[in-house]
Amino acid sequence: MTATTTPTTVTDLYPTRGTTEVTVPRQDPVVWGAPDAPGPFEPADLGAFERDGFIAVDQLIRPDEVAEYKRELDRLVSDPVIREDERSIVEPQSKEIRSVFEVHRISEVFAKLVRDERVVGRARQILGSDVYVHQSRINVKPGFGASGFYWHSDFETWHAEDGLPRMRTVSVSIALTENFDTNGGLMIMPGSHKTFLGCAGETPKDNYKKSLQMQDAGTPSDEALTSLASEHGIRLFTGKPGSATWFDCNAMHGSGDNITPYPRSNVFIVFNSVENTAVEPFAAPIRRPEFIGARDFTPVR
């Protein structure tokens, strides 16, 4: 049974995809749970997350677990059936797989990771409730030319195109290969999560088919990015396999191309509060497919 708690009509606190770019102060908490709530994060960790919009964990999973998840990633990427599945996104030039979505449904190995208390327990602490998986995917950045992800706020897209009403969503990126400072690592602007940037321009129909390869709608202007970077700076994340970065849904982030010989592969899980379930899109003609924006709000157990 699918659990739903959000009403079908809600106030739009974060207007976007209009004729002009707008900024709105964040209307929601960053950490929804109590600072002393039991779980893997210490109160100081939650304080850092509140301040910066992210926190890195040096070793979320053990080396033997990394090896298991990396084998499963390699299996999925090399499976011709998976390649032909609509949940697989390929690089425009090389035609190599860039991402595979809904991996927690495709693979019991990744489903186990989603249910791991080291993972879902941290999501519950931040969001202050039970959670469900809004999106999961493996990101594969093979060497020699894998393209990056341009600067964006995930919430802007999830609000506009998936119908998430509030900023009560958190992502974790878990490294399955080493993240160097040269192979297209994650960059975040610390503190940018406190301001919502509503982008200009209407959302094309079936925008996801293009945006998953190269983002256009929902892209901030150069002027807005310059202002945010000048105010907040940019943090580049590196780490060994098994390390992880948790980041707020409204944090401005992106990653560069990988022109090195060294691949960068991560598993990416988005948890949303069961008290923030999706309604109709706020700024798109139709919903994105459920493998990108889930409509099954069953709590992770």
Side-chain angles (χ1 to χ4, degrees):
M1 179 179 291
T2 296
T4 59
T5 57
T6 302
T8 55
T9 302
V10 295
T11 302
D12 184 0
L13 298 177
Y14 302 105
T16 190
R17 311 284 173 99
T19 55
T20 59
E21 197 171 54
V22 297
T23 56
V24 177
R26 186 186 184 109
Q27 306 294 303
D28 294 306
V30 177
V31 176
W32 291 72
D36 58 351
F41 277 136
E42 297 294 332
D45 298 327
L46 295 174
F49 188 88
E50 165 79 33
R51 182 190 66 237
D52 297 329
F54 59 79
I55 190 164
V57 177
D58 288 339
Q59 187 180 67
L60 182 68
I61 56 176
R62 302 184 308 271
D64 61 305
E65 295 172 306
V66 171
E68 177 187 10
Y69 294 124
K70 182 62 168 59
R71 284 193 299 270
E72 182 68 354
L73 179 148
D74 292 340
R75 183 188 72 82
L76 293 174
V77 170
S78 61
D79 186 337
V81 175
I82 296 296
R83 183 180 181 85
E84 295 304 314
D85 193 295
E86 66 174 344
R87 290 171 288 190
S88 293
I89 311 301
V90 300
E91 289 283 349
Q93 301 301 323
S94 69
K95 304 304 179 184
E96 291 188 77
I97 286 183
R98 172 186 178 94
S99 302
V100 179
F101 281 79
E102 216 171 39
V103 289
H104 72 296
R105 295 192 182 279
I106 293 175
S107 162
E108 177 53 36
V109 174
F110 285 115
K112 178 180 68 174
L113 179 62
V114 166
R115 297 190 299 266
D116 192 310
E117 190 61 25
R118 293 169 296 179
V119 178
V120 69
R122 284 179 162 91
R124 293 191 190 107
Q125 281 183 282
I126 291 170
L127 302 181
S129 69
D130 280 333
V131 298
Y132 71 94
V133 177
H134 177 70
Q135 184 185 105
S136 73
R137 67 178 187 259
I138 47 175
N139 286 336
V140 184
K141 267 196 173 180
F144 300 118
S147 54
F149 294 85
Y150 197 68
W151 290 106
H152 64 285
S153 153
D154 287 329
F155 179 75
E156 192 278 338
T157 296
W158 298 337
H159 183 69
E161 300 185 38
D162 296 340
L164 294 192
R166 310 294 291 266
M167 295 181 182
R168 200 170 179 179
T169 315
V170 67
S171 301
V172 59
S173 177
I174 305 170
L176 300 182
T177 56
E178 185 151 3
N179 284 215
F180 299 104
D181 59 2
T182 53
N183 64 342
L186 174 68
M187 296 181 287
I188 299 180
M189 298 184 187
S192 60
H193 62 303
K194 297 292 183 70
T195 302
F196 175 73
L197 181 63
C199 298
E202 292 186 357
T203 308
K205 185 178 179 181
D206 291 339
N207 178 56
Y208 76 95
K209 293 181 179 179
K210 178 181 179 182
S211 68
L212 296 178
Q213 291 182 325
M214 185 174 294
Q215 192 163 349
D216 186 11
T219 301
S221 68
D222 291 352
E223 293 77 12
L225 290 171
T226 300
S227 177
L228 285 170
S230 298
E231 180 178 358
H232 300 293
I234 296 172
R235 167 82 181 272
L236 170 66
F237 290 86
T238 60
K240 299 289 185 182
S243 63
T245 304
W246 290 85
F247 58 102
D248 180 81
C249 59
N250 191 47
M252 189 62 66
H253 66 287
S255 63
D257 296 349
N258 181 14
I259 61 172
T260 75
Y262 311 114
R264 175 180 173 265
S265 298
N266 294 51
V267 55
F268 183 82
I269 307 164
V270 180
F271 293 101
N272 188 39
S273 169
V274 297
E275 299 173 8
N276 187 48
T277 53
V279 294
E280 291 305 309
F282 286 88
I286 59 172
R287 305 171 181 175
R288 297 196 298 177
E290 291 197 24
F291 69 84
I292 301 175
R295 294 279 160 169
D296 180 350
F297 310 132
T298 305
V300 176
R301 300 293 188 203

